[in-house]
Amino acid sequence: MSYSKSLFILFATAFSAFACGGGEKQVDEVTETVVEESDWESLFDGQTFEGWSKYGGGEVGKAWKVQDGAIYLDAKNKDGWQTGDGGDIVTNEEFENYHFQVEWKIAPNGNSGIIFFVKDSSEYAYPWMTGPEMQVLDNDGHPDAKITTHRAGDLYDLIESSEETVKPVGEWNLAEIIAKDGKLELHLNGVMVVSTTMWTPEWEEMVANSKFKDMPGFGKYKKGKIALQDHGDEVWFRNIRIKRL
């Protein structure tokens, strides 16, 4: 069903204000770019892993589950040991210019990430060898938070968030990745926290000064899959959708 622009903006603003608990002005600025509700494509039906696979091929690992309408990584068993059979998961489809949205929450002391422009190839062992990452983290509990570019919402190991808008551990956060002809924005809970331009000399210099400097495929691909990271900690993702730009 298609809705008018005005009806959708009203819905999206109300939803974002509810989900984010504030930042309505910034959310309004994002939602006003939406033309029709039908422009959005769901990437998760809330019940199955249709449209997703394990990075490198094959079915999604058994540690990933669908729970209460969310994708859930059951990373550890009752004794605290990692369950295994997880691995990073990726969309079956590649995307180029888009506005991506997902809600996430993380367990105490947890770490995960949303990785994009991923080249799913046997040439690369992990998604992060090609795709930049929007960090998912418990800033108060995980040791990675001591590094300024490794906190929730950061463009991992590249750009620190302009401000911290992440919610307390266990609460849902709305993450958005907007990529258009090299222009990249990361939004967290209705606030743009990172803005940069990819594939420029400045981008190449930034990568050369990061932990990815010895990864020849990192940040090079202009079309790729979107990955959800298994970092060995419990994490949840829901309301996953994309709008092609």
Side-chain angles (χ1 to χ4, degrees), residues 55-76:
Y55 178 79
E59 295 183 355
V60 171
K62 296 187 184 305
W64 289 98
K65 301 175 181 178
V66 176
Q67 182 184 84
D68 299 325
I71 293 177
Y72 163 58
L73 179 62
D74 185 13
K76 297 175 181 175

Side-chain angles (χ1 to χ4, degrees), residues 2-245:
S2 178
Y3 295 88
S4 69
K5 178 180 178 181
S6 60
L7 285 176
F8 178 66
I9 290 176
L10 178 62
F11 166 79
T13 302
F15 169 79
S16 298
F18 171 78
C20 303
E24 291 83 358
K25 181 178 180 181
Q26 292 87 345
V27 172
D28 285 346
E29 292 171 356
V30 173
T31 56
E32 283 175 0
T33 66
V34 177
V35 177
E36 295 283 346
E37 166 68 2
S38 57
D39 289 341
W40 289 95
E41 304 170 42
S42 175
L43 297 182
F44 172 53
D45 62 15
Q47 300 179 343
T48 71
F49 286 109
E50 182 177 356
W52 293 83
S53 56
K54 179 180 287 190
Y55 178 79
E59 295 183 355
V60 171
K62 296 187 184 305
W64 289 98
K65 301 175 181 178
V66 176
Q67 182 184 84
D68 299 325
I71 293 177
Y72 163 58
L73 179 62
D74 185 13
K76 297 175 181 175
N77 61 27
K78 64 180 180 179
D79 297 318
W81 294 95
Q82 291 190 6
T83 57
D85 195 18
D88 303 324
I89 63 174
V90 294
T91 56
N92 291 342
E93 189 174 352
E94 292 185 332
F95 302 97
E96 188 172 5
N97 295 316
Y98 56 84
H99 183 167
F100 173 80
Q101 291 183 340
V102 61
E103 287 183 280
W104 63 262
K105 68 176 180 178
I106 192 78
N109 308 317
N111 186 343
S112 183
I114 305 158
I115 309 172
F116 50 99
F117 290 127
V118 170
K119 182 66 173 178
D120 192 353
S121 166
S122 58
E123 185 178 354
Y124 306 108
Y126 299 99
W128 45 262
M129 298 182 77
T130 57
E133 175 186 344
M134 185 177 187
Q135 176 75 308
V136 170
L137 196 78
D138 171 14
N139 281 354
D140 295 325
H142 196 280
D144 224 26
K146 296 177 182 178
I147 303 173
T148 55
T149 55
H150 289 198
R151 296 171 69 84
D154 292 351
L155 183 61
Y156 181 79
D157 208 60
L158 295 172
I159 300 178
E160 177 185 2
S161 295
S162 58
E163 60 180 292
E164 292 197 0
T165 60
V166 66
K167 295 187 176 183
V169 66
E171 294 188 21
W172 289 102
N173 295 270
L174 175 62
E176 301 178 81
I177 299 169
I178 304 173
K180 174 70 171 175
D181 299 329
K183 301 291 186 181
L184 175 67
E185 294 180 7
L186 304 184
H187 294 240
L188 187 61
N189 294 323
V191 178
M192 185 174 69
V193 293
V194 171
S195 178
T196 191
T197 303
M198 302 179 70
W199 313 311
T200 64
E202 292 78 14
W203 171 264
E204 297 296 338
E205 182 180 0
M206 183 166 56
V207 172
N209 291 320
S210 75
K211 67 185 296 181
F212 306 108
K213 62 181 182 294
D214 296 324
M215 301 179 190
F218 180 84
K220 302 289 189 182
Y221 293 94
K222 299 183 179 181
K223 183 177 183 180
K225 298 183 176 183
I226 298 172
L228 304 179
Q229 187 180 45
D230 174 359
H231 205 283
D233 300 312
E234 287 184 306
V235 64
W236 294 257
F237 300 94
R238 71 180 185 186
N239 294 330
I240 309 173
R241 65 181 190 167
I242 198 165
K243 179 165 72 77
R244 302 170 198 262
L245 302 176

